[in-house]
Amino acid sequence: MTRALLSVSDKSGLIPFAKNLVELGYELVSTGGTHKVLVDAGLDVISIDEVTDFPEMLDGRVKTLHPRVHAGLLARRDLPEHMAKLAEFDITPIDMVVVNLYPFKSTIQKEGVTEAEAIENIDIGGPSMLRSAAKNFASVLPIVDPKDYDVVVNKLKAGEVDREYRKSLAAKVFQHTASYDALIANYLTETSFPENLTLAYEKFDDMRYGENPHQPAAAYKTALPEAYSVLNADILHGKQLSYNNIRDADAALRIIAEYEETTVVTVKHMNPAGIGQGQTLEAAWDQAFAADDISIFGGIVALNREVDAATAEKMHGIFLEIIIAPSFTPEAYEILAAKKNLRLLTLPFTTSIPQKLEVTSVLGGVVVQERDLVGESENNFTVVSKAQPTKEQLQAMVFAQKVVKHVKSNAIVVARNGQTLGIGAGQPNRIDSVVYSIQKAEKKPGFDEAVLASDAFFPMDDSVQYAAEHGIKAIVEPGGSIKDKDSIAKADELGVVLIFSGTRHFKH
């Protein structure tokens, strides 16, 4: 007689699986609520306390933590001395463990949950049994996922439970318990940067490939989901998201979260291509498209208002990869869904992204930092030039500063209030970004209103000089260079407004 121990929190699929095990010749052992469910279903089940000869105690905290359980799981069937020891103590080997754990994750997601409630939902016996079974996978089948029930039954019936399959189930157990422990560790940890960083992610999807076709890839989302995430968006239409789609869409969501006003953000290769605002969504689209009508081809669009038919008609006219919005009117959806490969996504928009650690991979490890959530406001600005800004220039500088923090360094943004005109991203030196952004902007309508924003200080006065010589009348930068006085002097010489924001926004 082979023996299976079943103790599950999630009881979906349990009864048909248990019935199949009985038909396959398994003797069932079970605990607490699982035992009751199986008995009520008419199955013959041995209670765990009949095995241990010891009652469940401490409100169920102790029921399977017993030598008769763990010896039955850990005994190596190929070692005569192990089997002799089981016989000496009249311990029956356990050949299968079916366990899923107390719902710690769903418990801590409940509004108003107390620490005491969370702690009571930390499973101890379940992970212990799973780990014992997984360690001894050569002899014991460890099953942690109800989705595996049918596969296990079919393989048992076909005689196809080989070592490779057993090992895959063991690996799944250790992945599951590691993730479970990581959630608990993070819940209890109160320091931002602990000595041992434990992270828990769940697979979102396998990608066709990564950044390039020769790079295999998959996407994972945080075990505790964030509502404002492309990985938790509703995909209403279109083909599977690619690796690059996800990265670009994430960038678009971060940018548009800066703005309460009706705003449209277009993104290409994780940099903003154009950003526009208007009284209507269609007007905001027109501004964003006019900001860069070339780079938007094949790009991502995020809109922070419901997409209407008029805006949809204009977007339908060009090739786009993804459109993300809070919602689409039926008419807008019909217009855009006519393109079978265009992804249409919805999610609840916000201007309050929670502070979390950002993890970036490097060879041999990761670097971790908090998100750059510093808000931009003219209240933080310091005018360091003789020339004083107008109200319109200040508004434009706040708008541009919210953009520049999302542009790859060295980052320069030329903008007027409500519209980007030129963006210089990722250049090895700042003056090249200044030149590029101004060259993109100076032929566009509204350039006479333009201001220039920089993500970091000017190391010398050449950027101020070039900007002034090409029509820029106001500049905002963090300040902090040992040569700040040179930039201030150049601004005064050329009659340019120069403001220090006091906040650097490098983005690597």
Side-chain angles (χ1 to χ4, degrees):
M1 173 76 71
T2 48
R3 175 172 278 190
L5 194 162
L6 301 88
S7 180
V8 295
S9 175
D10 177 2
K11 295 176 176 59
S12 57
L14 173 66
I15 293 172
F17 180 56
K19 288 180 176 179
N20 274 309
L21 292 182
V22 171
E23 290 175 10
L24 286 164
Y26 278 84
E27 178 182 62
L28 305 184
V29 177
S30 192
T31 66
T34 306
H35 181 269
K36 182 178 187 306
V37 168
L38 294 174
V39 169
D40 289 348
L43 290 164
D44 186 14
V45 189
I46 300 169
S47 174
I48 192 67
D49 54 14
E50 294 178 54
V51 173
T52 62
D53 195 26
F54 203 90
E56 294 185 19
M57 61 186 301
L58 304 181
D59 299 318
R61 283 188 170 202
V62 177
K63 50 193 171 189
T64 59
L65 297 169
H66 195 281
R68 288 189 172 276
V69 173
H70 287 275
L73 291 171
L74 287 165
R76 285 179 54 178
R77 311 310 197 251
D78 60 335
L79 291 181
E81 56 268 35
H82 278 203
M83 301 311 292
K85 189 61 70 173
L86 292 189
E88 178 184 347
F89 288 94
D90 192 26
I91 296 173
T92 302
I94 299 172
D95 306 287
M96 178 188 294
V97 163
V98 184
V99 171
N100 52 64
L101 308 178
Y102 291 172
F104 181 80
K105 174 182 169 181
S106 59
T107 298
I108 62 174
Q109 288 179 287
K110 293 176 183 175
E111 191 163 344
V113 65
T114 65
E115 185 179 279
E117 289 175 278
I119 288 172
E120 282 309 307
N121 278 277
I122 296 174
D123 203 327
I124 302 301
S128 299
M129 287 189 291
L130 283 171
R131 289 170 63 85
S132 291
K135 177 176 179 174
N136 200 22
F137 68 85
S139 301
V140 184
L141 272 179
I143 302 168
V144 72
D145 187 349
K147 292 195 289 290
D148 289 327
Y149 291 170
D150 289 344
V151 178
V152 169
V153 167
N154 291 335
K155 283 185 174 291
L156 285 170
K157 288 180 177 179
E160 295 175 350
V161 179
D162 56 14
R163 189 179 191 282
E164 182 179 359
Y165 183 62
R166 289 173 173 275
K167 186 176 178 180
S168 73
L169 290 178
K172 192 168 188 175
V173 162
F174 285 114
Q175 291 160 8
H176 186 79
T177 57
S179 177
Y180 189 80
D181 286 344
L183 278 175
I184 297 167
N186 291 333
Y187 176 80
L188 296 175
T189 298
E190 295 182 348
T191 180
S192 296
F193 304 104
E195 289 299 311
N196 293 288
L197 181 64
T198 57
L199 303 173
Y201 295 96
E202 297 172 357
K203 183 176 278 189
F204 168 76
D205 205 358
D206 288 305
M207 309 279 93
R208 286 189 301 143
Y209 53 82
E211 286 180 304
N212 300 290
H214 59 274
Q215 295 172 269
Y220 291 80
K221 58 184 179 181
T222 56
L224 295 177
E226 293 186 45
Y228 191 65
S229 164
V230 63
L231 299 181
N232 288 307
D234 291 325
I235 303 175
L236 305 183
H237 176 77
K239 60 183 181 180
Q240 179 194 34
L241 294 173
S242 72
Y243 179 97
N244 291 332
N245 289 157
I246 292 170
R247 299 292 306 280
D248 286 341
D250 177 69
L253 290 175
R254 290 170 185 261
I255 298 165
I256 205 163
E258 299 282 352
Y259 300 104
E260 294 275 5
E261 304 87 347
T262 302
T263 303
V264 174
V265 170
T266 66
V267 167
K268 196 71 172 290
H269 303 313
M270 294 184 65
N271 279 306
I275 300 176
Q277 295 179 329
Q279 292 299 310
T280 66
L281 192 66
E282 183 183 6
W285 163 260
D286 290 342
Q287 292 282 77
F289 182 74
D292 193 332
D293 59 359
I294 297 174
S295 300
I296 183 53
F297 182 83
I300 310 291
V301 179
L303 313 93
N304 63 358
R305 299 290 188 273
E306 181 176 65
V307 177
D308 55 31
T311 308
E313 284 285 5
K314 291 185 174 179
M315 290 191 289
H316 180 269
I318 61 174
F319 169 55
L320 298 171
E321 291 275 2
I322 298 177
I323 299 173
I324 317 172
S327 57
F328 297 81
T329 67
E331 297 80 10
Y333 178 82
E334 184 177 357
I335 292 164
L336 294 169
K339 292 191 167 184
K340 67 176 184 178
N341 290 329
L342 174 61
R343 293 89 159 177
L344 302 178
L345 277 61
T346 61
L347 78 168
F349 273 53
T350 184
T351 55
S352 300
I353 295 178
Q355 184 58 271
K356 294 285 180 69
L357 293 182
E358 302 271 61
V359 181
T360 301
S361 176
V362 296
L363 293 175
V366 296
V367 288
V368 182
Q369 66 175 349
E370 291 187 345
R371 291 169 175 167
D372 182 0
L373 299 181
V374 173
E376 293 296 339
S377 166
E378 62 185 76
N379 294 330
N380 300 324
F381 290 174
T382 301
V383 181
V384 294
S385 60
K386 293 177 182 176
Q388 297 296 302
T390 65
K391 178 181 178 182
E392 291 74 17
Q393 286 172 331
L394 286 171
Q395 291 173 335
M397 283 190 272
V398 171
F399 173 83
Q401 278 287 93
K402 290 179 178 180
V403 180
V404 81
K405 69 190 280 191
H406 299 282
V407 178
K408 194 86 166 176
S409 299
N410 288 308
I412 299 291
V413 172
V414 177
R416 59 177 178 165
N417 190 32
Q419 184 186 35
T420 57
L421 300 173
I423 297 173
Q427 298 302 312
N429 64 73
R430 194 156 300 279
I431 187 62
D432 281 353
S433 287
V434 170
V435 171
Y436 182 80
S437 61
I438 290 175
Q439 287 178 347
K440 290 278 288 183
E442 59 189 347
K443 295 179 182 178
K444 290 192 171 82
F447 182 70
D448 59 324
E449 306 168 19
V451 302
L452 182 147
S454 174
D455 67 337
F457 62 64
F458 295 136
M460 52 192 70
D461 63 9
D462 54 353
S463 292
V464 176
Q465 181 163 339
Y466 185 92
E469 289 174 350
H470 288 79
I472 296 294
K473 301 178 181 65
I475 297 170
V476 57
E477 53 124 321
S481 169
I482 60 173
K483 293 188 177 181
D484 276 348
K485 62 181 185 302
D486 295 343
S487 293
I488 295 169
K490 184 60 68 174
D492 288 341
E493 175 190 334
L494 300 174
V496 172
V497 173
L498 182 60
I499 287 178
F500 287 173
S501 68
T503 304
R504 190 183 77 180
H505 289 296
F506 272 160
K507 184 174 185 289
H508 284 72

